[in-house]
């Protein structure tokens, strides 16, 4: 498991969603900062201070999202796998996995049911293969996961995750191997405890 602990499989959904926000975030930061300065130094524009500051903050949050989206990934650890989203990280025990299967991303999220803006953002993903990890249960409330991970990482029907990476076969193999090794270790522990 030494190599599996450090192997990261970049999640492709987040950079695809963030790609169009990069330039906008910079413009919002610049415009918000300038307007905040003007409102601060010129009393006649004082009412615009907080709206301008809010504009700069929104730009800053969007910029952080675009940068953190590049490091979003899935990786395997000894007893669980980790899903790292831009603003959230979650570990899921292998014991929670019900089953895994490869599925075309466009079958889970049909492009014709998406808004034109989203179709444009995700146009490189429709032909990709996703690993669907069906779960027996979530480690935290589902509403929180849908908020933190976003629509395109959560299985629309049922409990589970939709993981789109370039190397979906590698990710599937690593999770399978880690599950088997973890199950063997648990079995060995139980047998050792029973012998006592």
């Amino acid at each position: 498991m030494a190599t599996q602990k450090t192997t990261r499989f970049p999640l492709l959904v987040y950079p695809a969603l963030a790609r169009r926000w990069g330039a906008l975030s910079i413009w919002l930061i610049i415009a918000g900062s300038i307007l905040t300065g003007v409102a601060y130094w010129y009393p006649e524009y004082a009412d615009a201070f907080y709206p301008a500051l809010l504009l700069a903050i929104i730009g800053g949050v969007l910029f952080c999202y675009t940068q953190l989206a590049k490091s979003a990934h899935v990786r395997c650890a000894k007893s669980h796998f980790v899903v790292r989203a831009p603003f959230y990280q979650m570990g899921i025990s292998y014991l929670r996995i019900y089953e895994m299967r490869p599925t075309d991303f466009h079958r889970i999220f049909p492009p014709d049911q998406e808004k034109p803006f989203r179709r444009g953002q995700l146009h490189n993903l429709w032909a990709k293969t996703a690993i669907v990890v069906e779960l027996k249960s979530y480690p935290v409330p589902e509403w929180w996961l849908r908020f933190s991970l976003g629509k395109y990482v959560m299985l629309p029907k049922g409990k589970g995750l939709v993981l789109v990476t370039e190397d979906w076969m590698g990710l599937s193999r690593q999770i399978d191997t880690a599950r088997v090794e973890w199950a063997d270790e648990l079995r060995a522990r139980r047998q050792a405890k029973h012998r006592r």
Side-chain angles (χ1 to χ4, degrees):
M1 287 294 294
T3 57
Q4 293 180 4
K5 289 179 184 176
T6 56
T7 301
R8 295 183 176 189
F9 296 87
L11 288 169
L12 304 181
V13 168
Y14 297 113
L17 293 173
R19 198 170 293 121
R20 294 192 178 188
W21 298 117
L24 175 63
S25 67
I26 292 171
W27 281 111
L28 287 175
I29 292 170
I30 293 171
S33 300
I34 291 171
L35 292 173
T36 301
V38 169
Y40 180 81
W41 291 107
Y42 296 94
E44 59 268 30
Y45 300 112
D47 290 345
F49 179 81
Y50 289 108
L53 183 61
L54 180 62
L55 197 67
I57 291 171
I58 291 171
V61 170
L62 282 176
F63 182 77
C64 288
Y65 179 85
T66 61
Q67 298 308 302
L68 292 172
K70 298 173 186 175
S71 62
H73 64 269
V74 182
R75 64 181 170 81
C76 292
K78 187 175 182 180
S79 61
H80 61 281
F81 68 98
V82 176
V83 177
R84 172 128 188 221
F87 293 124
Y88 185 67
Q89 178 172 297
M90 173 182 65
I92 300 177
S93 168
Y94 296 123
L95 294 175
R96 290 185 186 271
I97 297 176
Y98 175 67
E99 71 170 7
M100 292 195 313
R101 65 180 189 278
T103 308
D104 293 332
F105 185 70
H106 68 84
R107 293 188 185 280
I108 306 167
F109 301 103
D112 58 353
Q113 295 179 12
E114 299 290 332
K115 295 178 180 178
F117 178 69
R118 285 288 189 221
R119 282 203 297 269
Q121 282 186 306
L122 301 172
H123 74 279
N124 289 331
L125 300 186
W126 301 124
K128 298 284 186 186
T129 299
I131 294 295
V132 173
V133 183
E134 289 196 42
L135 301 172
K136 299 170 188 172
S137 61
Y138 291 122
V140 294
E142 184 175 346
W143 66 267
W144 173 250
L145 285 182
R146 292 196 180 277
F147 173 76
S148 303
L149 299 181
K151 170 183 175 180
Y152 300 102
V153 178
M154 299 291 294
L155 196 62
K157 297 178 181 178
K159 289 182 171 61
L161 303 174
V162 180
L163 306 175
V164 184
T165 68
E166 286 293 349
D167 186 12
W168 64 268
M169 287 187 284
L171 175 59
S172 180
R173 277 196 302 270
Q174 283 207 8
I175 293 178
D176 275 336
T177 301
R179 286 175 73 193
V180 169
E181 290 184 1
W182 180 238
D184 289 345
E185 187 175 330
L186 278 181
R187 196 176 302 112
R189 284 182 191 172
R190 286 171 185 160
Q191 288 174 350
K193 188 176 180 180
H194 183 70
R195 289 192 194 104
R196 293 176 192 168

